[in-house]
Amino acid sequence: MSDQRIILATDSRLLREMLNRILIKAEHLEIVQQVADHENLPAALEEQDAEWIILTMPADDKVPDWADTYMMEHPFARIMSVSPDGGRVRMKWLDKREQDIVEPSLQQLINILEDSPRMEKADTSQEVV
């Protein structure tokens, strides 16, 4: 399994630091850049060919519109938005499929990011169309 490259671009410094501490311990995950200011995100996306971009979930619960354009240019990229309290995660793939996970465990997050076939289907997982 190859390493999954991640850009952490959460608004909250605390959430970004917590995710960084957890994810750097995972065997197949590599944090390639952390972005505190979303104005710097386009440059980070340009510089890093990351498989995952982790964002703070916006107040409207939607993945930003630029994500579709980015994923068209980088078909293997996926977007994960995390609620500020970490209690909800929304993932988005190129095929416009989205999935919500409520109250994910740390192991679930790591499995998802590693693209692990062990990913548990939680009862709280919901497909969003």
Side-chain angles (χ1 to χ4, degrees), residues 54-110:
I54 300 179
L55 308 167
T56 303
M57 188 176 291
D60 64 4
D61 289 348
K62 294 185 179 183
V63 175
D65 292 335
W66 61 260
D68 288 323
T69 303
Y70 180 77
M71 288 188 295
M72 290 296 290
E73 296 169 4
H74 301 85
F76 296 107
R78 288 141 304 183
I79 307 294
M80 176 183 281
S81 59
V82 180
S83 64
D85 67 357
R88 191 159 149 240
V89 171
R90 173 167 283 173
M91 294 160 296
K92 184 173 180 81
W93 290 266
L94 178 61
D95 60 4
K96 297 190 186 279
R97 181 172 53 106
E98 293 184 13
Q99 182 178 6
D100 280 352
I101 298 179
V102 179
E103 299 296 332
S105 70
L106 294 176
Q107 191 59 55
Q108 277 180 304
L109 288 178
I110 290 169

Side-chain angles (χ1 to χ4, degrees), residues 5-45:
R5 296 165 46 88
I6 299 169
I7 295 174
L8 282 178
T10 59
D11 295 337
S12 163
R13 178 178 156 204
L14 180 62
L15 180 60
R16 198 170 48 256
E17 288 177 359
M18 179 200 65
L19 287 170
N20 184 55
R21 272 187 246 135
I22 292 165
L23 299 178
I24 60 173
K25 294 177 184 177
E27 188 174 342
H28 297 289
L29 301 178
E30 177 187 4
I31 307 296
V32 293
Q33 192 160 351
Q34 294 187 49
V35 178
D37 182 352
H38 281 210
E39 291 179 12
N40 296 325
L41 186 55
L45 295 172

